[in-house]
Amino acid sequence: METNAIIKVNDLYKSFDKRCVLNGITEEINEGEVVVVIGPSGSGKSTFLRCLNLLEMPDSGEIIIDGEQINLPGVDVDLIRKKMGMVFQHFNLFPHLTVLDNITLAPMKVNGLEEAAAKAKAMELLERVGLIEKADDYPASLSGGQKQRIAIARALAMDPEIILFDEPTSALDPEMVGEVLDVMKELAANGMTMVVVTHEMGFAREVGTRLMFIDEGKVLEKGTPDEVLNHPKQKRTKSFLSMVL
């Protein structure tokens, strides 16, 4: 268990305006795992995710990625973020750039990739997410599901070891959810390490290797999808699942 933990979190605390949002979370995530984080709104799920790539700086505790503690003074955060892609609820695409330019920007600017190589790679990724014909379009002309698939392609363009998904389908119309989840399932099948905050219990059941139920900033229950969804031990987990399943 020790050897292939790509993410280790020890005793993580985070407060906003004196309200404790993460309350001593300790967790290990292994390479190739798809860890699905579930729980009620405001429970600390997204904050936990945002602390993993230091979009939020924890108040105390350790975050260790690939054996290196990243929340120490002087650590190169950009270097860490190269390893971790992030897909947001609201896509966060640049509206003034074409789809192709959205995907090539970071590999060229951050990784120093030549334009031709970056474009070739972007086209491969667009094919992978089924949107190669949208390369020259602008985000405004895309559906929500298409925008989110582009956002996933953009994250993949940096060759990350880990991708964090923060409620990737919650801003989508119901009929578009499936097309995004299909891309995520394909990533999981290919061994990508993923941490996914979601309300999509079907995805959690089908693709998650492990589920974490967070409430009031604590991991109250964790286990396989079968253990957590079908045989929850905690009263709080049971009451939450009775509302969402």
Side-chain angles (χ1 to χ4, degrees), residues 25 28 36 47 54 67 74 85 91-92 97-98 103 111 152 160 170 201 204 219 234:
I25 289 183
E28 285 193 8
V36 180
T47 302
L54 301 185
F91 330 123
N92 291 22
L97 296 180
T98 65
I103 297 171
N111 285 355
I152 294 171
S170 62
M201 293 299 154
V219 179
Q234 303 294 330

Side-chain angles (χ1 to χ4, degrees), residues 100 103 118-128 132 135:
L100 189 64
I103 297 171
K119 282 187 170 174
K121 183 173 193 179
M123 294 305 276
E124 277 174 30
L125 290 168
L126 283 172
E127 189 161 10
R128 189 170 173 186
I132 199 158

Side-chain angles (χ1 to χ4, degrees), residues 107-122:
M108 287 164 61
K109 276 237 188 319
V110 180
N111 285 355
L113 205 60
E114 294 286 329
E115 185 177 4
K119 282 187 170 174
K121 183 173 193 179

